[in-house]
Amino acid sequence: MNIIVILKQTFDTEEKIVIENGEIVNDNAELIINPYDEFAVEEAVKLKEKHGGDITVITIGTSEAESALRTSLAIGADNAVLIEKDEDLELDENGIAKVLAAVIKERDFDIILGGNMSIDNGASQVGPRLAEELQIPHAATITRLEIDGGSVRVERDVEGDVEIIESTLPILVTAQQGLNEPRYPSLPGIMKAKKKPLQTLDIEELELRFEELQSKSRIINCYLPKKKESGRILSGEIQAQAAELVQLLRAEIKVG
Amino acid sequence: MTKVLVLAEVKNGKLRNVSFEVLTVAAQIANGGEIAACVFGCDAEKYGPELGKYGAQKVYVLENEELNHYTPDGYKQALLTIIEEMQPDVVLTGHTSIGKDIFPLAAARLNAAVISDAIQVEVGGSIVFTRPIYSGKAYQKKEVTEGLVMATIRPNNIDAVENQASGETIKLLTEIKDLRTVVREVVQKASGKVDLSEAKVIISGGRGVKGAEGFKTLQALADVLGGAVGASRGACDAEYCDYSLQIGQTGKVVTPDLYIACGISGAIQHLAGMSSSKVIVAINKDPEANIFHIADYGIVGDLFEVVPLLTEEFKKLIAENQAVTN
């Protein structure tokens, strides 16, 4: 089975966001694989363990993103592709999906896995867009995946309900929390990953016209939310505190 | 004159409130221009009047049994048919399970940008959308610079305003075919419960809840207030509850009117998912817990003592209110 995983490198969830001149400052932030993409990598390794095959992880980013690919190789992916992007090149979700499609079209694949969203931009667009660019079906926010021959059965989280979907390969699926428990890279895995193939491609050398990549949206600026002032800690007997709280909330929300 | 199309959503036989919120945004953007809604499924026509009440002058209806349940292929064909017919300048829907799936898909076909998860819209020379990034640790203002404007609007952020319009139904026919994914079954785990993303009140539990049994204490309070129960990652990892309840940077982002955090320490990842709630109450044994820094009101105490007391006090309050109304 030929398995492709698309992933993104993001700030560690512990990181605080710093903004200068309306832009997010990237310096010194701890970088990780987007947590939802980690589920995708783990699921790919599980698929390979069960069905055999070959896993290719693909990302778009600067040379910094290589570490995310190496981690995926250490977890069990076989090949990695870094589509290198100049820091100044603005790609919106439309452009990202087109670049990924241009690279993936040239390869054999049965299934593409990714996270259902990135925790930084949080748009949830790239998965469905890529499926459409490649003209394959997709299922988003999956929590279970079974493949039997060419048939696919997934469970997907739909706002708390579970939808059971059937489809066929090739397909693109996006991972939701609960799909699996990502493993940590093992020491032998990390050693092996250093020797696994990592190909670097230059966006400008892909067969894409400039107009196709040009962003159709623009970020005007970024800013931090207003700092919330600390509130009131109630005091007294617990029973009295509960009664007081309910009175306080009565004024602020409609209850009953 | 701006022409705005809204994809309305039906859940369990009712229009979702987010569809009215999105119509309210549509009125702001249309600024006197045309506002239309579209709705799909066998009995779609019956939703026309209610969509009219919130400002839809026209309601495009595609009645087809293949559209009774959401599939990406079915909805894509349906939405593209309506867009082709109406030729809107702006297309909006809720940032829901359906909205965030179908908009990028249709946009890929139309070569259009989508602004996802907008919480605010300003209309001037262009349409400027505000959206949270890093799950609300920061915000971004964004606009579409070329072509059709598509955007998904976060539920529960903009008040739906009634704005009576004709709601004239326009029935379209199109063949819905070649569905490559089939819905075999829907297991309604969340049925009968209030959806987290649309809940006005959320009672949320962390590791301090200690187990699945403890969540029943929270559910009892949520039931009294007509709210939903949520959880921190810690509680989900400890298997006290399902991951679908997780609130935070790797879970759901919520903005209810009232958020009561019970036994939650307040890790930065959790705060990212709930700190925009209008009123935050923290209940925790540890007076040093980080959650108190962002809470409007705090009670330092055992949640198993405090929560049942709150449940009783709210019951009393509601009974009093009812007595007054009667």
Side-chain angles (χ1 to χ4, degrees), chain A residues 13 36 98 120-121 125 129 132 159 161-164 166-167 177 216 218 220-221 223 232 234 252, chain B residues 97 109 111-112 114 116 131 134 137 139 141 143 145 180 182 184-185 187 190 250 296-298:
Chain A
T13 54
Y36 292 103
K98 286 209 158 70
D120 49 7
N121 187 40
Q125 289 191 32
R129 277 183 184 271
E132 183 63 21
E159 293 166 2
D161 288 340
V162 180
E163 244 180 41
I164 296 164
E166 286 175 4
S167 190
Q177 181 128 39
K216 294 179 164 58
R218 184 176 79 93
I220 300 166
N221 65 346
Y223 60 95
R232 240 188 87 198
L234 306 187
E252 302 199 50
Chain B
S97 195
R109 178 65 73 84
N111 219 353
V114 178
S116 293
R131 56 186 300 270
Y134 297 88
K137 286 181 186 170
Y139 292 90
K141 285 192 190 282
E143 65 182 357
T145 48
R180 295 169 298 178
V182 178
R184 274 284 164 252
E185 198 186 336
V187 185
T250 51
D296 298 281
Y297 303 109

Side-chain angles (χ1 to χ4, degrees), chain B residues 64 66 73-74 77 175-180:
Chain B
N64 187 314
E66 297 281 15
D73 286 335
Q77 292 167 42
E175 199 189 350
I176 301 294
K177 56 183 182 185
D178 304 329
L179 302 183
R180 295 169 298 178

Side-chain angles (χ1 to χ4, degrees), chain B residues 102-291:
Chain B
I102 190 60
F103 265 39
L105 198 62
R109 178 65 73 84
L110 297 166
N111 219 353
V114 178
I115 311 282
S116 293
D117 201 17
I119 56 167
Q120 198 191 330
V121 181
E122 294 152 83
V123 184
S126 69
I127 308 164
V128 177
F129 296 90
T130 302
R131 56 186 300 270
I133 49 174
Y134 297 88
S135 313
K137 286 181 186 170
Y139 292 90
Q140 179 182 71
K141 285 192 190 282
K142 204 171 176 185
E143 65 182 357
V144 174
T145 48
E146 192 193 317
L148 180 67
V149 177
M150 296 181 79
T152 59
I153 311 292
R154 176 180 289 195
N156 226 357
N157 262 267
I158 288 157
D159 289 330
V161 178
E162 286 190 22
N163 173 21
Q164 189 66 54
S166 55
E168 176 205 348
T169 305
I170 301 166
K171 277 197 192 187
L172 295 180
L173 285 173
T174 190
E175 199 189 350
I176 301 294
K177 56 183 182 185
D178 304 329
L179 302 183
R180 295 169 298 178
T181 58
V182 178
V183 183
R184 274 284 164 252
E185 198 186 336
V186 181
V187 185
Q188 296 207 323
K189 276 198 189 172
S191 71
K193 292 186 195 156
V194 181
D195 181 52
L196 265 182
S197 64
E198 292 194 272
K200 297 284 181 202
V201 176
I202 293 176
I203 316 299
S204 193
R207 280 194 183 268
V209 178
K210 290 182 187 150
E213 195 60 29
F215 268 90
K216 290 186 184 158
T217 313
L218 308 192
Q219 186 68 52
L221 177 54
D223 289 345
V224 168
L225 295 173
V229 168
S232 73
R233 175 162 189 172
C236 296
D237 281 348
E239 296 180 4
Y240 299 168
C241 60
D242 198 79
Y243 276 112
S244 60
L245 300 187
Q246 189 187 325
I247 291 164
Q249 201 171 357
T250 51
K252 295 194 167 62
V253 177
V254 296
T255 47
D257 291 342
L258 174 61
Y259 189 93
I260 305 186
C262 310
I264 291 179
S265 59
I268 183 170
Q269 296 92 334
H270 185 74
L271 302 189
M274 47 64 75
S275 56
S276 308
S277 305
K278 286 177 197 109
V279 178
I280 298 169
V281 173
I283 300 164
N284 203 300
K285 273 202 252 186
D286 175 11
E288 302 298 322
N290 196 36
I291 191 82

